[in-house]
Amino acid sequence: MTTLTAAAPIAASQPVADTGSLLQIHPVEFEQNFSQRPFLIGHRLSTHPLFQIERLLELSQRLPESCIEYNAGNIPVSIDSALTPRNGLTPEETIRRIAECKSWMVLKYVERDPQYSQLLEECLTEIRPYSEPITPGMMHPQAFIFVTSPGSVTPYHIDPEHNFLLQIRGSKEVRMLDGRDRGIVSEIDLENFYSDRGRNLRLNPEHEQAGWTYHLQPGQGLHFPVTYPHWVKNGNEVSISFSITFRTPDLDRRRSLYQSNAEIRARGGNPWPVGKSRLRDSLIYTSSRIRRKLASLLSKPEQHACGGRKSCGT
Ligand SMILES: [Fe+2]
């Protein structure tokens, strides 16, 4: 079995102007599409030392076990996350043998490491001037690194954060569907997701050809609007991707509204869809905040094992 020890620097597929910035953002494209449609940006991280294999190995040894998720990568597009098979290797072995072990790995919350934290902050500092006029209040910066084998699949799922996936090495095919379409992501799907009942969705065969397709190359980054469903398939080489994410206060409100609707449905009700009535949403949100405030006064806050903030991660 061959062992992967280091990644050769790979040139960006698109030249990035030497402006000193890490990201290449088109202001008009950002303004027209952020949070509504996927769009590409450029970056210059493909040869960054933090994404060399030896540095990633070091990171995997420092991160707590709860911050590393990995499994077999030769799985179908639609699969229950509880049924996803493991690959039988340790995280270190998985990275070293990634070229041949047919695996998918994510290193979560890598901002726990000061160097990755600084890089994340530098990237988000370049995004903030464009995102603030659209969705103000950037907070909870988090970053994830995906290390995946040739041909491996990330199943069809949704994520809770504003996300830019920066392709560092290798290529990926990303299929993304419109998360605003309730025929694609239903109110019940969102209620389940925000109630922490899993992020994987079942892909309706009717929707297999819907949405957008991107073939991401090193030097390119893709914006994923919040809860837009997607699945990802690697190209024929090892892939390394850096996911930079953040939240905004409107997402906390959204989570709270869907959790409230899930509770109403669990009691036998048929709640109005979120967004159908501003007045109703405001009343529901205010009452849930009051209930949460009272509950927090009576009990200790929940601490997530990894980073103190609960996240669905990838
Ligand atoms: Fe994702």
Side-chain angles (χ1 to χ4, degrees), residues 146 154 157-159 163 224 230 232 314:
F146 298 90
T154 308
H157 69 282
I158 51 178
D159 296 314
N163 178 23
F224 290 67
H230 52 277
V232 183
T314 60

Side-chain angles (χ1 to χ4, degrees), residues 48-81:
H48 198 289
L50 287 181
F51 301 107
Q52 301 299 305
I53 289 292
E54 292 302 327
R55 184 64 180 88
L56 294 176
L57 280 169
E58 188 187 329
L59 175 65
S60 73
Q61 288 159 0
R62 282 192 195 166
L63 285 175
E65 200 177 319
S66 59
C67 289
I68 303 176
E69 186 179 339
Y70 61 107
N71 50 248
N74 50 346
I75 54 176
V77 167
S78 281
I79 188 169
D80 187 323
S81 52

Side-chain angles (χ1 to χ4, degrees), residues 158 179 182 185-195 227 254 258:
I158 51 178
R182 289 292 163 268
V185 185
S186 70
E187 289 292 304
I188 293 175
D189 287 335
L190 292 167
E191 290 167 19
N192 288 335
F193 174 68
Y194 283 118
S195 301
T227 63
R254 189 170 194 253
Y258 276 111

Side-chain angles (χ1 to χ4, degrees), residues 117-132:
S117 174
Q118 184 181 339
L119 183 62
L120 171 62
E121 180 53 35
E122 287 171 7
C123 290
L124 292 184
T125 295
E126 295 182 21
I127 289 173
R128 194 177 286 114
Y130 303 103
S131 65
E132 284 297 303

Side-chain angles (χ1 to χ4, degrees), residues 270-312:
N270 186 21
W272 280 24
V274 172
K276 186 173 180 182
S277 163
R278 274 192 192 179
L279 177 62
R280 184 260 184 195
D281 285 355
S282 293
L283 290 171
I284 293 273
Y285 181 56
T286 302
S287 69
S288 75
R289 284 188 74 184
I290 292 169
R291 275 189 289 130
R292 265 190 300 171
K293 195 82 179 172
L294 288 172
S296 72
L297 291 172
L298 297 172
S299 63
K300 288 183 179 177
E302 181 185 9
Q303 283 294 310
H304 187 240
C306 185
R309 294 190 293 271
K310 202 160 187 178
S311 169
C312 293

